[in-house]
Amino acid sequence: MSDGRPVRIRYFAWLRERLGIGEEQIELPAGVATVNDLQLWLRQRGPAWDTVFAMSRTVRCAVNQQFAGPDVAVNPGDEVAFFPPVTGG
Amino acid sequence: MSDGRPVRIRYFAWLRERLGIGEEQIELPAGVATVNDLQLWLRQRGPAWDTVFAMSRTVRCAVNQQFAGPDVAVNPGDEVAFFPPVTGG
Amino acid sequence: MADVRIAAAAFDVGSEFAALTQSRTDIGGVGCFVGTVRGAAGGRALVALTLEHYPEMTERALAAIAAEAERRWDLLGCRLVHRVGRMVPGDPIVLVLAASAHRQSALEATAFLIDWLKTRAPFWKKESFADGTETWVDARESDDEAAAQWGADQAAIC
Amino acid sequence: MADVRIAAAAFDVGSEFAALTQSRTDIGGVGCFVGTVRGAAGGRALVALTLEHYPEMTERALAAIAAEAERRWDLLGCRLVHRVGRMVPGDPIVLVLAASAHRQSALEATAFLIDWLKTRAPFWKKESFADGTETWVDARESDDEAAAQWGADQAAIC
């Protein structure tokens, strides 16, 4: 459910490069309540989006800067990030 | 058996302090062929020597700068050292 | 107590060590790990390594990792420095320091910190090769296994 | 390849790290341990720690310990520095550095080196307390156990 506040979505590393976007703000779409819902919604944007998010084993997520599994809730005002498994250190 | 070359004996840490000697040179005594023989011979020097070498669990030895057990041979020209368990690092 | 930092410039190991230990007489041992950029990857010559990160999340993640180490071991100091941006072979990438009264805690915490840092902090490495190609580094299963040995709570990672 | 040294003066961790890693692009990780003098022992204030050693044997023992680490792990560098003489609380006593292509070898070798160094190199610590008393430090069973976990060949120690 949207209360008017946007969701900020951020993309990192090869997701950012393949999707051609580092961040965006969207109105939370109807029916999108979790990370998994949001991924399904993003996949409908076109072939590049579908391909990237189809690699579910290699796409990780954070909600409000905390690692988040597919069932974690997404609410208006949240910041959601998608990225590959981390490779620092 | 002595061929005339002395054995150099060195003492470290509390052995050195209790015995009041850091090093000495001796003619290898008759019948002394191993580290254990040498310890038994040194114990006969007096009460302080007997007490220190009676603490067999806390006296370690090196022959020619290699850690050595009681059965290691001692020969003329060797350097034998007695010291407590090491506490470096 | 922990001190975590993201650095764009190279750090100096001696200065970091001094900052942790200066004027301290309670510390008995300091464990340290420094990760450095290698000049080759998969047999190909590397000219640069670029570290991308998620700025708002990174320091929070490092602080959480350090806090977990302090919860598990009796540390007297803990310091994490991680570089971002472009680096060349030989450059230091990451520094872990863990101080304790005794060596075992310091060394175990050091190993723990680098294992968790590799699997729980939002950094991504891109390799630039001498032939002009660039590749994002793949996560390694061996890193996940190393992190899992500490009883990592994998539920926190999606 | 290993570099071992007995030092009468304090050493600098940054300089030792630089000496090991300078101009190297094959190293991926460096493990390090630094032991320091604590300001108290058994609840009593310590004013100094004096390290005695067996000069002719010490460097040989350190070289043997480093050689064993190089035999067990694929190291790209190994450095041991141990101080002797009088030190005060906060001073560094011992430095271990082990470099490898990968972190696990570097960290394991670091732990091995300090464990063996504590049980196989001829150093003895004497503590000088604020009340004027002096005590030779007793060897600790926990150090023997730590060393034994590496499959130490105890037959070599009498």
Side-chain angles (χ1 to χ4, degrees):
Chain A
M1 249 174 308
S2 174
D3 64 359
R5 283 184 297 153
V7 169
R8 185 183 186 193
I9 313 185
R10 306 181 68 171
Y11 306 93
F12 291 96
W14 61 254
L15 273 83
R16 175 178 54 71
E17 289 184 347
R18 288 218 210 159
L19 299 172
I21 185 171
E23 69 171 274
E24 63 179 319
Q25 306 228 11
I26 64 163
E27 188 88 2
L28 196 62
V32 171
T34 66
V35 167
N36 189 53
D37 294 341
L38 183 57
Q39 289 200 30
L40 291 173
W41 184 82
L42 290 167
R43 288 178 68 168
Q44 296 171 358
R45 282 180 164 179
W49 294 81
D50 188 50
T51 304
V52 161
F53 285 102
M55 304 179 199
S56 61
R57 278 199 64 239
T58 53
V59 175
R60 298 289 186 274
C61 178
V63 174
N64 299 328
Q65 290 110 41
Q66 304 266 23
F67 289 108
D71 298 333
V72 169
V74 176
N75 292 300
D78 282 349
E79 175 171 299
V80 181
F82 294 106
F83 42 78
V86 302
T87 57
Chain B
M1 250 173 306
S2 175
D3 64 358
R5 282 184 296 153
V7 170
R8 185 183 186 192
I9 313 184
R10 306 181 68 172
Y11 306 93
F12 291 97
W14 60 256
L15 273 82
R16 175 179 53 72
E17 289 184 348
R18 289 217 208 160
L19 299 173
I21 184 172
E23 70 171 273
E24 62 179 321
Q25 305 228 11
I26 65 164
E27 189 89 1
L28 196 62
V32 170
T34 66
V35 166
N36 189 53
D37 294 341
L38 182 57
Q39 289 200 29
L40 291 173
W41 184 83
L42 289 167
R43 288 177 69 169
Q44 297 172 358
R45 284 181 164 177
W49 294 82
D50 188 51
T51 304
V52 161
F53 284 102
M55 304 181 200
S56 60
R57 278 197 66 238
T58 53
V59 175
R60 298 290 188 273
C61 178
V63 174
N64 299 328
Q65 291 111 41
Q66 304 267 23
F67 289 108
D71 297 333
V72 169
V74 176
N75 291 300
D78 282 350
E79 176 171 299
V80 181
F82 294 106
F83 43 77
V86 301
T87 56
Chain C
M1 182 173 49
D3 194 324
V4 307
R5 194 170 92 245
I6 311 300
F11 54 81
D12 177 67
V13 174
S15 306
E16 301 297 336
F17 181 84
L20 186 77
T21 57
Q22 205 114 58
S23 310
R24 297 288 292 272
T25 61
D26 51 345
I27 294 171
V30 182
C32 173
F33 177 79
V34 177
T36 51
V37 182
R38 296 168 63 197
R44 296 158 71 203
L46 197 87
V47 293
L49 188 70
T50 306
L51 262 288
E52 180 170 332
H53 75 133
Y54 179 178
E56 294 83 351
M57 182 173 171
T58 317
E59 287 209 20
R60 172 190 289 216
L62 295 186
I65 291 165
E68 180 65 17
E70 290 177 330
R71 197 180 68 73
R72 294 183 181 214
W73 289 277
D74 197 11
L75 300 185
L76 297 169
C78 176
R79 201 171 181 89
L80 302 178
V81 183
H82 203 299
R83 288 186 67 192
V84 293
R86 185 181 170 89
M87 288 155 242
V88 297
D91 277 358
I93 306 170
V94 60
L95 171 93
V96 169
L97 284 170
S100 183
H102 302 289
R103 76 180 183 287
Q104 200 179 349
S105 306
L107 288 170
E108 283 182 11
T110 300
F112 168 83
L113 285 162
I114 187 64
D115 282 347
W116 266 37
L117 199 153
K118 284 198 172 257
T119 53
R120 291 179 170 244
F123 294 98
W124 300 276
K125 287 193 185 105
K126 185 191 234 177
E127 294 169 332
S128 303
F129 293 96
D131 62 11
T133 60
E134 297 197 320
T135 317
W136 289 97
V137 172
D138 278 331
R140 301 193 311 168
E141 259 179 50
S142 60
D143 286 336
D144 290 335
E145 287 158 14
Q149 81 181 322
W150 300 106
D153 173 12
Q154 293 294 340
I157 303 185
C158 71
Chain D
M1 183 172 48
D3 195 323
V4 307
R5 194 169 92 245
I6 311 300
F11 54 82
D12 177 68
V13 174
S15 306
E16 300 296 337
F17 181 84
L20 186 77
T21 58
Q22 205 115 58
S23 310
R24 297 286 294 268
T25 61
D26 52 344
I27 294 170
V30 182
C32 173
F33 176 79
V34 178
T36 50
V37 181
R38 296 166 66 196
R44 296 158 71 203
L46 196 86
V47 292
L49 189 70
T50 306
L51 262 288
E52 179 170 334
H53 74 131
Y54 179 177
E56 294 83 352
M57 183 174 170
T58 318
E59 287 208 20
R60 173 191 289 214
L62 295 185
I65 292 165
E68 180 66 18
E70 290 176 330
R71 197 182 67 74
R72 294 182 181 214
W73 289 278
D74 197 11
L75 300 184
L76 296 169
C78 176
R79 201 170 181 89
L80 302 178
V81 183
H82 203 299
R83 286 186 70 192
V84 293
R86 185 181 169 89
M87 290 156 239
V88 296
D91 277 357
I93 307 170
V94 60
L95 170 92
V96 169
L97 284 170
S100 182
H102 303 291
R103 77 180 181 287
Q104 202 180 346
S105 307
L107 288 171
E108 284 183 9
T110 299
F112 168 84
L113 285 161
I114 187 64
D115 282 347
W116 266 37
L117 199 152
K118 282 195 172 261
T119 53
R120 292 179 170 243
F123 295 98
W124 300 276
K125 287 192 184 106
K126 185 192 235 177
E127 295 169 331
S128 304
F129 293 98
D131 61 12
T133 60
E134 297 197 320
T135 317
W136 289 98
V137 173
D138 278 330
R140 302 193 312 169
E141 259 180 49
S142 61
D143 285 337
D144 290 335
E145 286 158 14
Q149 81 182 321
W150 301 106
D153 173 13
Q154 292 294 340
I157 303 186
C158 73

